[in-house]
Amino acid sequence: MGLFYNFSVALFSALGSFLFGDDSGVIGSVVSQEFDYFQTFFHSPGPSIIGAIVSTVRRFFGAAAAGSLAARLGRKRTIQIGASVAMLGCSLQTGAQNVSYLIVGRVITGLAIGWYVPVVPLYQSEISPPTMRGFLTGLTQLMIAIGFLVAYWVGYGCQFIRSDAQWRVPLGIQIFPATLLFLGMFILPFSPRWLVDQGRHDEALVILQRLHGNKTNKEFIDLEFAEMLEQIQYEKENISTKLSDLWSTKPMLRRTLTGIGIQVCTQFTGINVSSYFQPTLYAALGLSGSKVLMITGINGALGAVITAIFIYFILDRVGRRPPLIFGAVGMAITLAIEAAINAKWGGVNSDNHAAQTAGVAFIVLFGSLFFTVSFGPISWVYQSEIFPMRIRALGTSVCTCANWACNVLISQVAPIGMSRLQYRMYPLRFYILFVATNIANGFIVFFFFPETKGKSLEEMDAVFGDQVIPHALETKQVHNIGGSGDEDEKKSRVSV
């Protein structure tokens, strides 16, 4: 089966990321003033209520549980359980009768998304060959972008519905991908590395052959499997699954800080303020009405297309560091220009069409170009590939918690700030703040983030400076550790 099967598995598992994007994108339209039936039904909720509805704090607690669930139940089952809970939460949102009802549905959906979103790229990274891991794990961000895209265009279309279906339909559409993911995960394979960790070696080899095998690469499969066996066996003997292992040595502390760092940097690009509150940013340029939601939809479409091009043609060729630095510099420049446009020509009463066009263009460049060719996909790829097997699930869980914690801060503060400051002033301060943080992001990547391109997951110990055992893919030998009573068994399994 090989590459096509591997791609199909990675793409289908990314439905969880699609739901994440749809959940995040649709709520911005639903709570906007254009959705007048929502405003009427919920009695024009104030900024604090809107903040609670949009808030991602629920995802933090879901992510906190993800590591333990993924280690014990496996990556596949954790995604599947999350999908089933998301089905419940989305159903409650769709049938909401009051604000409390809606918030409970959002909380349940957020918990589900929180615990399977970090597991999706983890699962993808563990089923991917080293030379395509960026592309296959980057499908997470592509499906997030497509989720946002669907949410934006559904939001644009539903604003014209003249009943409560105006807001119930966009929320209800989320039930479909959650149901499809839940059912589809029954036929997707377990992670071969998780199976090895559970002692289910024969199953792991069969799945690895289905994922990576073809008529000409039997030697690669043998070496890859041998490397998994020896590395994971070494980790089982020397690394536990305790939280303290994430900082027990300098290389492990570096891994943890790097993983947390890329997620925090991602949030401080400013992307989620732009995503959640695009209508407000466009309003600051003097735009209003259905045109705002249409522009938002076009922006989402461009983001999805550029993400697909980047992860397929570029990411595995140029690596992780250069795009991150390029994206940070590009986002800083576009936001600085946007700040200047808002300062001179912005305001809800602005009628300078040239300034409006330029302002929209730089918002689109910020999110659909520079973010999507840098921190968008790479944050999920990077955090999923740098940790050893024994604590990979725990490490990605902690990193994603850092993401959600920053997300909560931003999503709670932004709507309150927007309501208390004039339209012209809040976007201006938003732009200036994130110009500074994007410059900082570029320096952090340059000085602290190592390159991981082309390395197998087992070879990350060489990248972070704590390699102890030889790697089969380097030595071209299936037998690299002496003195173990299990060596004959390992060798025989590799030769299957």
Side-chain angles (χ1 to χ4, degrees), residues 3 99 106 130 177 216 219 221 228 246-247 318 322 336-337 352 358 360 371 411:
L3 178 60
V99 168
R106 294 283 297 168
T216 63
E219 181 183 6
I221 298 298
M228 285 185 195
L246 292 174
W247 58 81
V318 304
I337 296 172
N352 188 316
V360 169
F371 180 78
S411 64

Side-chain angles (χ1 to χ4, degrees), residues 14 37 46 71 73 86 92 159 171 236-237 259 294 415 442 473 481:
Y37 277 83
L73 302 179
L92 290 174
Q159 68 178 314
L171 294 176
K236 291 180 75 170
E237 295 171 355
M294 183 178 68
L473 288 173
I481 303 177

Side-chain angles (χ1 to χ4, degrees), residues 378-399:
I378 295 177
S379 60
W380 301 113
V381 175
Y382 207 71
Q383 74 162 26
S384 301
E385 64 186 5
I386 61 176
F387 291 100
M389 173 63 201
R390 292 288 289 171
I391 54 172
R392 188 171 296 134
L394 182 61
T396 56
S397 173
V398 168
C399 295

Side-chain angles (χ1 to χ4, degrees), residues 223 226-231 234 458-459 461 467-482:
L223 293 172
E227 185 168 280
M228 285 185 195
L229 287 177
E230 294 187 332
Q231 186 70 31
Y234 170 80
E458 287 69 37
E459 291 174 316
D461 54 5
Q467 180 179 355
V468 175
I469 65 173
H471 298 129
L473 288 173
E474 290 181 347
T475 65
K476 306 303 180 183
Q477 298 177 2
V478 299
H479 191 61
N480 292 282
I481 303 177

Side-chain angles (χ1 to χ4, degrees), residues 93 399 404 426:
Q93 291 182 62
C399 295
W404 298 143
Y426 185 83

Side-chain angles (χ1 to χ4, degrees), residues 19 25 64 89 131 157 162 206 222-223 268 297 301 305 323 328 352 384 386 439 479:
L19 179 58
T131 56
R162 307 319 299 162
V206 170
D222 290 346
L223 293 172
F268 278 94
V305 171
N352 188 316
S384 301
I386 61 176
I439 292 172
H479 191 61

